Amino acid sequence: MEHNPAEIFFDKLSQVIDRKELIKLVISNQKSKSSDLQNIIITIAQLKRGYRLNFVYRHKTKDITKNYEFTEGIELIRKALVTDFHNADLFSNLENTSLITTPAGKVKMSVHPPTMRPVEEFHHDKVKSRVINTVGNIYLRELEITNANWEVRREMSDKYKQINRYIELLEPEIKDLTLPSGYHVVDMGSGKGYLTFALYDYLANTLGKVPVMTGVEYRDDLVNTCNMIAGKAKFSQLRFIAGTIEKVELEKIDILIALHACDTATDDAIYRGITSGAALIVCAPCCHKQVRKEMNVTGELGNIVKYGILKERQAEIITDTIRAMILEAFGYKTKVFEFISTEHTPKNVMIVGRKMVQENPDKQKIFNEIKAIRDIFGIGKHYLENLLLLK
Ligand SMILES: C[S@@+](CC[C@H](N)C(=O)[O-])C[C@H]1O[C@@H](n2cnc3c(N)ncnc32)[C@H](O)[C@@H]1O
């Protein structure tokens, strides 16, 4: 019996889709050269409602993305090959398969060894699946974390891991919060917005609780780029504003994030969170210059600040210990932990405070203990302590 190449091709396609081994299918070579649709790229997407075929329809000036159930998607592929395109190139973990219709209408199929890196994303036993989905996620592509085929670019894989890790860490903290509708989230010192976009994506699309979210950043160029990306991603409740952490006007703050905000900018951010009564404050401090400059250790303890790098580490520990104690003093249950391995960034401590009580009865006792620490290390003031006590 003679086998029909198109049927063999579609059998193979169904199998690789079912086994989640489809790397991509490219439908190309238009039958009508005047068509605006250049090609269609199909991959598998893991959405909240299950696996879908993700179609990117690539037009001359825009891309349109749609997700379909497997059966419906395969039917659309068949139709596209009958009416609009001559070629289908299937890249799977096992092989590359091409189906070509010649101008004379003859259908040919060829099979070659695989040329693309196998899909591992969907094999949970082999590779951990990530909270932030890549396929169809426009902001990741605009931030150049993924390429045109929605694959994580090799040089951005650390950044991609970092944002996923960050969302994984925040997940249990946020899931348990009772948040009012239209709750406000602010990211202080949002920079290029990697983590701001990822958090908005998680809150709005995974948790289904759309926040009113603001990224605050004093660099206009970054603010403009981030607003442009938020528009493209259709993140309608996310905006970036040019301003300083200290002075920016915000309606209210339910969740405050400040990641790698330099030196005392972290203190300014915590101050804004505490004084707004934020339910959750998350910061990953950056440098710790203020306390290091103030440290004046004499006597037996002098040796612990004798070596530059160790003095820097001491300053870091003291600064962040006092920040955590201050959060406790203002009624926040506080955790301090490593955010991501030092292989990805040396600035890897995260402080998370969750508001538990309006008034901590031990507040004064905590401030006395802070003073005792300052006295040991000859530190006249801690910037955050001053902000809170002097204002
Ligand atoms: C090291 S980057 C971190 C960016 C982002 N949060 C992240 O973790 O990827 C710090 C950002 O904070 C901004 N920044 C620092 N101090 C600030 C302040 N006082 N007000 C507003 N933005 C500030 C800087 O311009 C920079 O873009």
Side-chain angles (χ1 to χ4, degrees), residues 188 245-246 256 258-273 281-288 319-320 323 351 382-384 387:
M188 297 294 204
I245 296 171
E246 306 85 300
L256 179 136
L259 301 172
H260 311 129
C262 327
D263 196 18
T264 51
T266 296
D267 297 302
D268 288 313
I270 299 175
Y271 172 75
R272 295 292 306 261
I281 297 178
V282 178
C283 57
C286 181
C287 40
H288 300 74
T319 310
D320 291 337
R323 284 171 175 158
I351 304 174
H382 184 287
Y383 185 86
L384 176 59
L387 282 178

Side-chain angles (χ1 to χ4, degrees), residues 189-191 195 216-219 222 243-246 259-260 262 265:
S190 48
L195 305 170
V216 178
E217 167 58 54
Y218 57 36
R219 279 183 52 188
L222 297 179
T244 64
I245 296 171
E246 306 85 300
L259 301 172
H260 311 129
C262 327

